Amino acid sequence: MGRGKIEIKRIQNTTTRQVTFSKRRAGLVKKTHELSVLCDAQIGLIIFSSTGKLFQYCSEPFRMEQIIEKYQKATGVRIPEHDSREDLVSEMAMLRQETLRLELGIQRYIGDSMGSLQYEELAKLEQDLEISVTKVRNRKNDLLQQQLDNLRRKERMMEEENSYLSQWIQEQRGGGGVMENDGEGQQMMDQLPFYEGQTSLQLAPLHLHPYLQLAQPTIHDASNSHPH
């Protein structure tokens, strides 16, 4: 039995149409190449699929531009060149309009050029400004809270150091030792952040922040402890 004749019409099924296109395109390019080689013909083949994808074939050693130029000379038809200057002018005009729109919006937000605004536009602008102010205030409060938390942590650290220093001084007084002559005590004093080479008698007037000050023992000479 002979092969049935295929009716030439558009294939409705998308998958079948794509498969048929790929097979027949390959066959067309093959036949074009054979015709070019066998008959020394100069052929330029351009194919666009239904999705817009480009396929082309050009007889060697020519380029597609040479084939098209030869076609133009033979037919007297010139393909109009695309002038990109028109696109540039159009794009510049759009950019100018966008710039003016942004400048006008900035002026309205700072209270200028509001004479032409209608009531609805002013109400919308007021609402936008209120939303922006709320966001700014929330961010400011977050930063203040972070700073307050940092100060509280520093306060606790300073209180702990101050308490340790006071306890150490009391132990030195109770033991009757002289801190300046005690090498171990002097080394401990040098490691404390509040001490900078001072003597034990100079530790009493430590100046701390008012809300960080703790009760510290006041060290006096034995002669000053009795009333005159």
Side-chain angles (χ1 to χ4, degrees), residues 208-214:
L208 301 176
H209 196 277
Y211 64 86
L212 295 178
Q213 288 183 351
L214 299 176

PDB file of all heavy atoms in Angstrom, residues 208-214:
ATOM      1  N   LEU A 208      32.697  58.366  90.551  1.00  0.00           N
ATOM      2  CA  LEU A 208      31.890  57.583  89.632  1.00  0.00           C
ATOM      3  C   LEU A 208      30.664  58.369  89.245  1.00  0.00           C
ATOM      4  O   LEU A 208      30.377  59.419  89.815  1.00  0.00           O
ATOM      5  CB  LEU A 208      31.479  56.254  90.284  1.00  0.00           C
ATOM      6  CG  LEU A 208      32.650  55.356  90.738  1.00  0.00           C
ATOM      7  CD1 LEU A 208      32.093  54.135  91.439  1.00  0.00           C
ATOM      8  CD2 LEU A 208      33.527  54.976  89.586  1.00  0.00           C
ATOM      9  N   HIS A 209      29.964  57.855  88.281  1.00  0.00           N
ATOM     10  CA  HIS A 209      28.697  58.466  87.899  1.00  0.00           C
ATOM     11  C   HIS A 209      27.755  58.459  89.095  1.00  0.00           C
ATOM     12  O   HIS A 209      27.726  57.502  89.866  1.00  0.00           O
ATOM     13  CB  HIS A 209      28.070  57.685  86.739  1.00  0.00           C
ATOM     14  CG  HIS A 209      26.986  58.452  86.037  1.00  0.00           C
ATOM     15  ND1 HIS A 209      25.713  58.486  86.519  1.00  0.00           N
ATOM     16  CD2 HIS A 209      27.030  59.204  84.909  1.00  0.00           C
ATOM     17  CE1 HIS A 209      24.987  59.220  85.722  1.00  0.00           C
ATOM     18  NE2 HIS A 209      25.764  59.669  84.738  1.00  0.00           N
ATOM     19  N   PRO A 210      26.957  59.508  89.331  1.00  0.00           N
ATOM     20  CA  PRO A 210      26.125  59.608  90.543  1.00  0.00           C
ATOM     21  C   PRO A 210      25.285  58.383  90.795  1.00  0.00           C
ATOM     22  O   PRO A 210      25.178  57.909  91.927  1.00  0.00           O
ATOM     23  CB  PRO A 210      25.257  60.837  90.254  1.00  0.00           C
ATOM     24  CG  PRO A 210      26.080  61.670  89.332  1.00  0.00           C
ATOM     25  CD  PRO A 210      26.840  60.695  88.485  1.00  0.00           C
ATOM     26  N   TYR A 211      24.650  57.821  89.755  1.00  0.00           N
ATOM     27  CA  TYR A 211      23.752  56.706  90.023  1.00  0.00           C
ATOM     28  C   TYR A 211      24.496  55.372  90.099  1.00  0.00           C
ATOM     29  O   TYR A 211      23.894  54.350  90.320  1.00  0.00           O
ATOM     30  CB  TYR A 211      22.651  56.601  88.943  1.00  0.00           C
ATOM     31  CG  TYR A 211      23.131  56.289  87.571  1.00  0.00           C
ATOM     32  CD1 TYR A 211      23.331  54.965  87.185  1.00  0.00           C
ATOM     33  CD2 TYR A 211      23.382  57.294  86.650  1.00  0.00           C
ATOM     34  CE1 TYR A 211      23.756  54.669  85.919  1.00  0.00           C
ATOM     35  CE2 TYR A 211      23.823  56.999  85.383  1.00  0.00           C
ATOM     36  CZ  TYR A 211      24.006  55.682  85.025  1.00  0.00           C
ATOM     37  OH  TYR A 211      24.420  55.392  83.755  1.00  0.00           O
ATOM     38  N   LEU A 212      25.824  55.420  89.912  1.00  0.00           N
ATOM     39  CA  LEU A 212      26.610  54.206  90.036  1.00  0.00           C
ATOM     40  C   LEU A 212      27.395  54.150  91.334  1.00  0.00           C
ATOM     41  O   LEU A 212      28.048  53.157  91.624  1.00  0.00           O
ATOM     42  CB  LEU A 212      27.583  54.083  88.857  1.00  0.00           C
ATOM     43  CG  LEU A 212      26.937  53.901  87.480  1.00  0.00           C
ATOM     44  CD1 LEU A 212      28.027  53.846  86.412  1.00  0.00           C
ATOM     45  CD2 LEU A 212      26.115  52.645  87.454  1.00  0.00           C
ATOM     46  N   GLN A 213      27.436  55.265  92.083  1.00  0.00           N
ATOM     47  CA  GLN A 213      28.231  55.291  93.288  1.00  0.00           C
ATOM     48  C   GLN A 213      27.654  54.353  94.330  1.00  0.00           C
ATOM     49  O   GLN A 213      26.454  54.320  94.571  1.00  0.00           O
ATOM     50  CB  GLN A 213      28.291  56.711  93.849  1.00  0.00           C
ATOM     51  CG  GLN A 213      29.161  57.647  92.996  1.00  0.00           C
ATOM     52  CD  GLN A 213      29.258  59.020  93.601  1.00  0.00           C
ATOM     53  OE1 GLN A 213      28.540  59.293  94.559  1.00  0.00           O
ATOM     54  NE2 GLN A 213      30.124  59.846  93.073  1.00  0.00           N
ATOM     55  N   LEU A 214      28.532  53.605  94.963  1.00  0.00           N
ATOM     56  CA  LEU A 214      28.160  52.718  96.048  1.00  0.00           C
ATOM     57  C   LEU A 214      28.874  53.150  97.307  1.00  0.00           C
ATOM     58  O   LEU A 214      29.880  53.889  97.256  1.00  0.00           O
ATOM     59  CB  LEU A 214      28.528  51.268  95.720  1.00  0.00           C
ATOM     60  CG  LEU A 214      27.855  50.674  94.473  1.00  0.00           C
ATOM     61  CD1 LEU A 214      28.408  49.272  94.237  1.00  0.00           C
ATOM     62  CD2 LEU A 214      26.354  50.646  94.663  1.00  0.00           C
TER      63      LEU A 214
END
